[in-house]
Amino acid sequence: MAMSTLKERCVVGLTNHMEESIHRFNVVMDIDESDKENKKCMDRFFGDHVEKRNANPHPIEKYESPAWNALAERNELDIRLFHYVKKLFKEQKEIIESYAESLAVE
């Protein structure tokens, strides 16, 4: 259910592809990234001198460690959904690029 809802109703983004994700959201919400105020906002978060990081850092457990395995077992469905979102992110690239091009033609 969650996977079909994401595929049919959502544009997904990934924090490790933050700039690309925000660009996609801007495209589908018709936000003009060349607008002075919008560019200023983007530069504030993604400019050359900005440390790009997750706003909520979390400890990283070593893969396959006892702690990692315990978390993975308790969050199996979340992990499956995350892998699906990564796949969906790749699939949506072409769709969103095509949509952006159609907006530019109008």
Side-chain angles (χ1 to χ4, degrees):
M1 177 98 174
M3 290 179 185
S4 63
T5 299
L6 286 172
K7 184 171 184 144
E8 295 170 13
R9 300 181 181 265
C10 299
V11 173
V12 298
L14 298 170
T15 56
N16 61 330
H17 295 282
M18 185 66 77
E19 289 180 66
E20 173 66 20
S21 298
I22 298 300
H23 171 71
R24 292 179 185 194
F25 300 147
N26 287 344
V27 167
V28 298
M29 293 186 291
D30 198 23
I31 295 174
D32 181 359
E33 292 177 337
S34 66
D35 176 81
K36 183 179 177 181
E37 287 301 311
N38 294 341
K39 183 156 179 38
K40 182 177 171 184
C41 179
M42 294 290 287
D43 287 344
R44 181 173 165 221
F45 291 99
F46 305 113
D48 292 335
H49 304 297
V50 176
E51 179 184 350
K52 296 163 182 73
R53 60 181 170 81
N54 186 338
N56 300 303
H58 307 286
I60 298 174
E61 298 297 333
K62 185 174 178 161
Y63 181 70
E64 299 275 328
S65 70
W68 190 95
N69 288 334
L71 287 167
E73 185 177 316
R74 286 184 188 92
N75 297 288
E76 179 184 353
L77 295 177
D78 292 326
I79 292 169
R80 286 177 48 200
L81 188 60
F82 174 67
H83 288 292
Y84 179 75
V85 166
K86 291 193 306 184
K87 178 180 172 245
L88 189 56
F89 184 79
K90 290 178 185 176
E91 291 174 5
Q92 288 182 346
K93 181 178 179 70
E94 187 176 313
I95 295 166
I96 292 171
E97 286 175 354
S98 174
Y99 180 71
E101 289 174 11
S102 73
L103 290 176
V105 173
E106 293 177 358

